[in-house]
Structures are given as structure tokens and as C-alpha cells.
Amino acid sequence: MTGIAAVRRLHFCAGHRVVGHEGKCANLHGHNYVTFIHVQAGGGGLDKVGRIVDFGVIKEKVGAWLDEHWDHGFIYWHSDPEVAALYAGPLASMKHFAADWNPTAENMASHLLGVATQLLCADLLVTKVEIWETENCYAYAFGEEP
Ligand SMILES: [Zn+2]
């Protein structure tokens, strides 16, 4: 099967910790995350300029969501008792994102796939979202292809 996709790279900095991790990722730490948002055209095909979408639209919408919710914040699982207590108490005024999932790259990719699907125009299919924690490690979530 052949097709065309457009991909926008975005980045953000965030802290997290992985509950239940057997090693150092159980500690509070952070990453310079990089995400790749893959989109394909829906039923309408390419626009009259020959694009799936202007790359700037992905940055404007998904980038704005990342800036508001994750960038320079701390992402944690709401069932993480120690961190939840910090953000309910002494760190309440600091930026944080309480998720209903453990903040692994896999779960973050899955969440962001849903967010990007909601934010982008109905004519676009968000087919894949990659979350890179480091240059060597990433996970992705994927949806439907046309
Ligand atoms: Zn990490």
C-alpha cells in the first residue's frame, strides 16, 4: 500500500517518574522530549496547494496544547501517592499534569494521539504520534490509516 504522510516535529521539556520502574526511572527526573505528529489526508485528499496540511497548523494547535499542559511541567499518574501528595500540597502552585496513566513514553504517545486527533481538522487523520525520551528511546501510538 502506498500513501503520503506529513510529519511535524515538536519538542517540550517535562518531568516525570515511572511508578513501578525497577531502576532509576522510578526517581523524579525529566527529559527534553521530542514528538513527531504524523498526519494523512482524510477523504478530501491534498489541498489545492498540494499539501496534507500546512505544517504550521500542527505546530499552532498541538504545539499550543503541549505548551499549556506539558512543557516545563511535571507529568504524573494520579495514583502515584507521593507525587500526588506533593501537588495537592506544597507544590500545588507549580505546573503539573495529573494523568490517569503511568507516564511512560507509550502512555504519553497514546494520550497525545487522542489530543492531536481532537485538535486537528476533521479532514486530517492523525496516524501516528512518536514520543522520544532520549535520542535512543522512543515509543509511538498509531491510529487508522486511510
Ligand atoms: Zn524518564
Side-chain angles (χ1 to χ4, degrees), residues 91-111:
L91 300 186
S93 66
M94 301 218 176
K95 186 170 178 179
H96 57 276
F97 184 89
D100 57 4
W101 30 263
N102 207 12
T104 58
E106 289 85 341
N107 283 332
M108 290 172 66
S110 177
H111 186 79

Side-chain angles (χ1 to χ4, degrees), residues 14-18 21 24-31 33 103-105 133-134:
H16 79 155
R17 79 151 172 163
V18 177
H21 192 276
K24 60 188 181 181
C25 292
N27 296 304
L28 309 186
H29 66 283
H31 296 283
Y33 286 99
T104 58
E133 281 194 350
T134 70

Side-chain angles (χ1 to χ4, degrees), residues 2-3 5 13 34 43 52 59 97 103 105-106 113 123 134 146:
T2 61
C13 306
V34 175
I52 294 167
K59 178 173 179 1
F97 184 89
E106 289 85 341
L113 179 74
D123 290 346
T134 70

Side-chain angles (χ1 to χ4, degrees), residues 58-94:
I58 302 173
K59 178 173 179 1
E60 185 187 310
K61 296 194 174 171
V62 183
W65 188 91
L66 288 169
D67 285 348
E68 183 182 345
H69 295 280
W70 285 357
D71 187 47
H72 285 76
F74 196 91
I75 302 165
Y76 68 98
W77 185 14
H78 63 54
S79 298
D80 177 340
E82 292 93 357
V83 176
L86 285 175
Y87 285 105
L91 300 186
S93 66
M94 301 218 176

